Amino acid sequence: MSISPTTPTATAIAEIDLFSGLGERERTDLARLAVPRSVEKGELVFLEGDEAEGFYAVVEGSVRIYKAAPSGREHVLHVFGPGEAFGEVAVFEGKRFPASAQALTPSSVFYFPRAGFHRLISTDPDLALSMLALLSGRLRQFVRKIEELTLKDVPARLAAHLLLLRSAQNTDTLTLDLPKSQMALYLGTVPETLSRILAKLSESGLIEVSGKTVSILDADRLAEVAEEGL
Amino acid sequence: MSISPTTPTATAIAEIDLFSGLGERERTDLARLAVPRSVEKGELVFLEGDEAEGFYAVVEGSVRIYKAAPSGREHVLHVFGPGEAFGEVAVFEGKRFPASAQALTPSSVFYFPRAGFHRLISTDPDLALSMLALLSGRLRQFVRKIEELTLKDVPARLAAHLLLLRSAQNTDTLTLDLPKSQMALYLGTVPETLSRILAKLSESGLIEVSGKTVSILDADRLAEVAEEGL
DNA sequence: CGGCTGATTGAATCAGATCAACTGCTGTGG
DNA sequence: CCACAGCAGTTGATCTGATTCAATCAGCCG
């Protein structure tokens, strides 16, 4: 990971969702703190168990957060794109990263060192509130994820995910940002199973798959699958 | 749920982990805010989807947080005992509860209304920091839980859980605080499976089970099971 | 002594993982 | 420009951990 020549500006900071609500002064402070870095595709940003000296935010590209089992299997916890922060739990825990982070594409990120950020936050209730909102949102996501993983079968998880993409991309013709193999890991399964279920949903006329494009043909029935499984 | 006659005191507030690090003044403010309630065994504190007007802390007894699937299956996300706060995400999200809460035993709790607490926190960086630490810890727990649920089989999850109880209770002769059926839900499985695996671990001489008491006979091999499954 | 609730055991079944083979596709170098 | 390496995705056959259904059992309490 190399230090990029660009100097972070208050404007760049505003692009980070977490900080977009803050005032000019705070953003300037943060810009002074932020260290820009660029990472190649496949490069590790940090590894599970690494001492957490600070957290990151994606400026460009995408980064996946994943856990690896001794067996070699992996589970993708998150995929973060531009504007999203990751590794922030480290700042308050002062412990080690509980998962690993790896760039999926050539990316650039900001790094916020623990000590400096902690100093800012301990004097600025607005910034603290903003972090609280972030963590709360993450917590909520995890609750939903645990629910899905334990209470629902793979077709339901896939259907739910497709519907989520639909509302995010605001169209019935989805473009998968992630390779299918990564998507399988995210859904807590393996590529073979994902492939079969995509095929099954196609046969049933709920969706149409063509490479990285998935068209939702019958959103209602897809919603049923997401609820009750298939 | 009935209003208990006791008036919350700053001392009672100090018993809540989340607030134990705070100063006298903050605790007095919180005491003024807190509404004591008592709940019977089996009574619902709140239901998934309820408007979240505030959060709770357990004073006495225990409360489980769980998600229910349309199929009727449930998954226990947490069990909270005295001193622990729950439902706090609601305070920052201002949305609905993502899961339900039910008393496992006759319990008493404090209720902290959203508006008042939000006011306190937005002016007090220490309190905010304390909340940040809480949420970070929760997040970390969830990451571990997701890892276990997706990457490990039931024996591994059970073994990990027993080892966790061991370090919490600081003895090799564990007392299960939860009925086995609830423990099964917490481990993301069903009572039958839990029963079988406990039996298997007993046969192999790793543990000894007798009612609500589980003795760990071979912690090393149990740790292996937790890592690699069986 | 019933009768309820939790726990256990057995048998059948199934969703999903694994293993293995095969099909593209894409880029690279001779 | 073609060949071939390499990787993502698909498909088929098989295996197995875990759930489900059902019956039985153990405690505990009124």
Side-chain angles (χ1 to χ4, degrees):
Chain A
M1 192 150 60
S2 64
I3 307 286
S4 128
T6 343
T7 303
T9 63
T11 320
I13 294 291
E15 300 292 316
I16 300 168
D17 300 346
L18 175 57
F19 303 134
S20 59
L22 298 178
E24 181 66 24
R25 217 185 59 72
E26 283 102 337
R27 290 211 304 272
T28 310
D29 286 346
L30 285 164
R32 238 193 303 276
L33 199 62
V35 182
R37 293 187 178 178
S38 62
V39 283
E40 302 165 26
K41 172 176 175 169
E43 188 178 339
L44 290 164
V45 181
F46 55 76
L47 205 57
E48 173 177 355
D50 277 0
E51 202 64 58
E53 298 293 350
F55 73 102
Y56 298 83
V58 179
V59 178
E60 226 181 84
S62 66
V63 172
R64 72 169 183 140
I65 309 295
Y66 68 99
K67 278 283 266 201
S71 66
R73 258 196 88 173
E74 295 179 352
H75 183 79
V76 176
L77 295 167
H78 283 295
V79 175
F80 292 118
E84 297 184 291
F86 62 97
E88 73 287 337
V89 176
V91 173
F92 307 105
E93 295 266 292
K95 295 186 186 159
R96 293 161 183 281
F97 289 113
S100 305
Q102 182 184 38
L104 287 171
T105 63
S107 309
S108 68
V109 300
F110 282 162
Y111 173 69
F112 297 91
R114 213 194 121 275
F117 188 75
H118 202 280
R119 189 163 18 82
L120 280 185
I121 216 172
S122 60
T123 57
D124 186 343
D126 276 354
L127 182 53
L129 239 34
S130 170
M131 289 300 286
L132 280 171
L134 175 78
L135 294 188
S136 298
R138 287 255 210 289
L139 227 18
R140 194 170 279 263
Q141 271 182 52
F142 274 135
V143 169
R144 200 180 54 231
K145 196 140 203 273
I146 289 179
E147 171 195 14
E148 294 191 338
L149 289 171
T150 54
L151 265 27
K152 296 183 173 174
D153 57 19
V154 181
R157 305 202 296 262
L158 173 58
H161 185 65
L162 289 177
L163 290 171
L164 201 78
L165 286 181
R166 183 170 89 122
S167 60
Q169 300 186 13
N170 211 32
T171 164
D172 282 356
T173 309
L174 311 174
T175 308
L176 302 180
D177 41 342
L178 234 50
K180 290 196 182 111
S181 56
Q182 288 297 315
M183 187 166 147
L185 294 181
Y186 181 73
L187 293 172
T189 182
V190 291
E192 293 97 317
T193 300
L194 177 62
S195 183
R196 286 181 232 277
I197 293 175
L198 279 172
K200 201 174 295 181
L201 290 178
S202 293
E203 282 168 32
S204 321
L206 300 201
I207 61 173
E208 204 169 65
V209 185
S210 159
K212 288 215 156 313
T213 305
V214 177
S215 307
I216 295 186
L217 303 178
D218 190 337
D220 292 343
R221 282 210 284 154
L222 204 56
E224 277 176 36
V225 174
E227 276 304 307
E228 299 152 39
L230 184 70
Chain B
M1 193 150 60
S2 64
I3 308 286
S4 128
T6 342
T7 304
T9 62
T11 321
I13 294 291
E15 299 293 316
I16 301 168
D17 300 344
L18 176 57
F19 303 135
S20 58
L22 300 177
E24 181 65 23
R25 217 184 59 72
E26 282 103 337
R27 290 210 305 270
T28 309
D29 287 345
L30 285 164
R32 240 194 301 277
L33 199 62
V35 182
R37 292 187 178 179
S38 61
V39 283
E40 303 164 25
K41 171 176 176 170
E43 189 179 337
L44 289 164
V45 180
F46 55 75
L47 205 57
E48 172 177 354
D50 278 358
E51 202 63 59
E53 298 293 350
F55 73 103
Y56 298 83
V58 179
V59 178
E60 225 181 83
S62 67
V63 173
R64 71 171 183 140
I65 309 295
Y66 68 99
K67 277 286 261 198
S71 66
R73 256 197 90 170
E74 295 179 351
H75 183 80
V76 176
L77 295 167
H78 284 295
V79 175
F80 291 120
E84 297 186 290
F86 63 97
E88 73 287 335
V89 176
V91 172
F92 307 104
E93 295 267 291
K95 295 187 186 159
R96 293 162 184 281
F97 289 112
S100 305
Q102 183 184 36
L104 287 172
T105 62
S107 309
S108 69
V109 302
F110 282 161
Y111 173 68
F112 297 90
R114 211 193 122 277
F117 188 75
H118 201 279
R119 190 162 18 82
L120 280 185
I121 217 173
S122 60
T123 57
D124 185 343
D126 277 355
L127 181 52
L129 239 35
S130 169
M131 288 300 286
L132 281 170
L134 175 78
L135 294 188
S136 299
R138 289 272 154 83
L139 228 19
R140 195 170 278 264
Q141 270 182 52
F142 274 137
V143 169
R144 201 181 53 230
K145 196 140 202 272
I146 290 179
E147 171 195 15
E148 294 192 337
L149 289 172
T150 54
L151 264 27
K152 296 182 174 175
D153 57 20
V154 181
R157 305 204 294 264
L158 172 59
H161 186 64
L162 290 178
L163 291 171
L164 202 77
L165 287 181
R166 183 170 90 122
S167 60
Q169 299 186 13
N170 212 31
T171 164
D172 282 354
T173 309
L174 310 174
T175 308
L176 302 180
D177 40 342
L178 233 49
K180 290 197 182 114
S181 57
Q182 289 296 317
M183 188 166 144
L185 294 181
Y186 181 74
L187 294 173
T189 184
V190 291
E192 294 96 317
T193 300
L194 177 62
S195 185
R196 286 181 230 276
I197 293 173
L198 280 172
K200 200 173 295 180
L201 290 179
S202 292
E203 281 168 33
S204 320
L206 301 201
I207 61 172
E208 204 169 66
V209 184
S210 159
K212 290 214 156 310
T213 304
V214 177
S215 307
I216 295 184
L217 304 179
D218 189 337
D220 292 343
R221 281 210 285 155
L222 204 57
E224 277 176 35
V225 174
E227 276 305 307
E228 300 153 38
L230 184 68

